């Protein structure tokens, strides 16, 4: 579940959100579909995602550069998901686009 | 639960981890203590954290600059938590230090 990313620099898009109680099945399906769709985009490096029982979640997607991250925001299927997110699924959310300059891992498997 | 951060630029430390099943009570206590201790550090801006039922979690702490983020890594109480994390609580983890350049939010309360 940890994303395997190359040496920095690369771009991280940090998406934090509070879920409404609305339409959990539809939300789960859309989230899975967006993970698949993101993975098909040029410049995609990986994604990491966690959501607690309290409905607060963080998804970080990794991209080779900022144009790749911006392009993903404008993919048609993703635009529809963003609209549903705003209207139905998220009470509130933040998006932060950041350049990763340093990274280290403690992963016995790598 | 969304962190309220100033206009960019600022620093995000993205900590992603897979928990072991070991010592959940001790872990929760230490996590709460570290949140408190971090909040007392110079340059601290906020923290966001989520962990799913599968044990995968993401914590993002925000800092005014990179020296503040580095200083937090070396605070004595935090060093002990890091050691316990490596030895007991995390199967594996990654740390990424990133500079946030753009941010936006959809938060009706602000």
């Amino acid at each position: 579940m940890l994303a395997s990313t190359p040496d920095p620099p690369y771009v991280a898009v940090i998406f934090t959100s509070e879920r409404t109680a609305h339409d959990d099945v539809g939300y789960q399906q859309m989230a899975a579909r967006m993970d698949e769709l993101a993975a098909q985009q040029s410049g995609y490096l990986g994604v990491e995602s966690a959501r607690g029982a309290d409905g607060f979640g963080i998804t970080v997607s990794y991209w080779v550069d900022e144009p790749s991250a911006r392009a993903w925001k404008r993919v048609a299927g993703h635009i529809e998901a963003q609209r549903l997110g705003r209207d139905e699924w998220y009470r509130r959310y933040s998006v932060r686009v950041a350049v990763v300059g340093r990274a280290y891992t403690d992963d016995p498997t790598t």
Side-chain angles (χ1 to χ4, degrees), chain A:
Chain A
M1 309 260 298
L2 289 180
S4 180
T5 43
D7 287 339
Y10 52 86
V11 168
V13 179
I14 305 164
F15 177 75
T16 53
S17 61
E18 295 177 19
R19 276 279 282 130
T20 62
H22 186 73
D23 187 21
D24 209 46
V25 172
Y27 174 73
Q28 300 286 354
Q29 290 173 342
M30 180 66 94
R33 202 147 64 228
M34 286 308 105
D35 282 354
E36 281 173 35
L37 189 60
Q40 297 165 14
Q41 305 307 308
S42 171
Y44 172 87
L45 293 176
V47 69
E48 293 172 322
S49 200
R51 187 173 303 278
D54 60 358
F56 186 78
I58 303 178
T59 295
V60 189
S61 61
Y62 300 102
W63 302 88
V64 293
D65 54 21
E66 179 130 5
S68 304
R70 281 184 189 265
W72 166 233
K73 192 175 189 311
R74 295 188 304 258
V75 169
H78 188 204
I79 288 173
E80 171 64 5
Q82 291 171 60
R83 188 190 64 73
L84 281 162
R86 275 192 306 272
D87 293 354
E88 309 269 352
W89 291 324
Y90 299 123
R91 192 181 320 276
R92 44 194 208 141
Y93 66 82
S94 289
V95 179
R96 296 178 176 95
V97 183
V99 177
V100 178
R102 285 192 295 135
Y104 53 96
T105 190
D106 180 359
D107 182 352
T109 67
T110 58

